[in-house]
Amino acid sequence: QVQLVESGGGLVQAGGSLALSCAASGRASSRYAMGWFRQAPGKEREFVAGISWRGGWTDYADSVKGRFTISRDNNKNTLYLQMNNLKPEDTAVYYCAADFGKTGYPSQEPTEYDAWGQGTQVTVSS
């Protein structure tokens, strides 16, 4: 199994930027897709961005396209999410997740993911 630990959350004003990181450990191979999800109070967990195991294919929720960028460094076993032009509606707990499915491409469905981090809070003030 893989252990995931997010970092980089915090409080930022609308229009600002934050960079999240997710460190993975416990699995010899990085050949698995990864994703970022978020959950706001009273709402379901939703897909934010996903990346294939090689990093060459990415997917984004419509609400973050053009503002967020997902990337990974398999040599460092780390997943990243660069968030620019943040909006108050981006406020949520952000989770990274690993999808061990055979395709190596990420799903937008939370139920397809096999391992989750503990989450990091992102708060955007207006």
Side-chain angles (χ1 to χ4, degrees), residues 1-6 22-27 29-37 45 47 49-53 70 72 74 77-79 95-118:
Q1 190 59 290
V2 65
Q3 291 75 48
L4 304 173
V5 179
E6 303 96 336
C22 172
S25 62
R27 190 175 174 102
S29 173
S30 297
R31 294 192 176 197
Y32 50 87
M34 297 194 74
W36 287 99
F37 290 77
R45 191 167 298 189
F47 173 80
I51 190 167
S52 61
W53 77 268
I70 188 172
R72 66 190 295 169
N74 289 340
N77 294 320
T78 303
L79 176 73
Y95 300 88
C96 67
D99 176 0
F100 299 146
K102 294 181 179 180
T103 67
Y105 290 86
S107 169
Q108 293 192 357
E109 296 298 325
T111 55
E112 295 294 318
Y113 287 75
D114 305 287
W116 293 85
Q118 82 290 350

Side-chain angles (χ1 to χ4, degrees), residues 77-99:
N77 294 320
T78 303
L79 176 73
Y80 304 97
L81 184 68
Q82 177 65 43
M83 305 185 293
N84 297 328
N85 190 22
L86 283 160
K87 304 176 180 181
E89 51 264 42
D90 294 318
T91 295
V93 177
Y94 283 70
Y95 300 88
C96 67
D99 176 0

Side-chain angles (χ1 to χ4, degrees), residues 30-69:
S30 297
R31 294 192 176 197
Y32 50 87
M34 297 194 74
W36 287 99
F37 290 77
R38 66 187 182 188
Q39 188 166 17
K43 295 187 177 181
E44 294 187 352
R45 191 167 298 189
E46 64 173 0
F47 173 80
V48 174
I51 190 167
S52 61
W53 77 268
R54 289 182 182 269
W57 189 88
T58 58
D59 186 25
Y60 296 92
D62 288 343
S63 59
V64 306
K65 279 182 182 177
R67 300 189 297 123
F68 290 12
T69 302

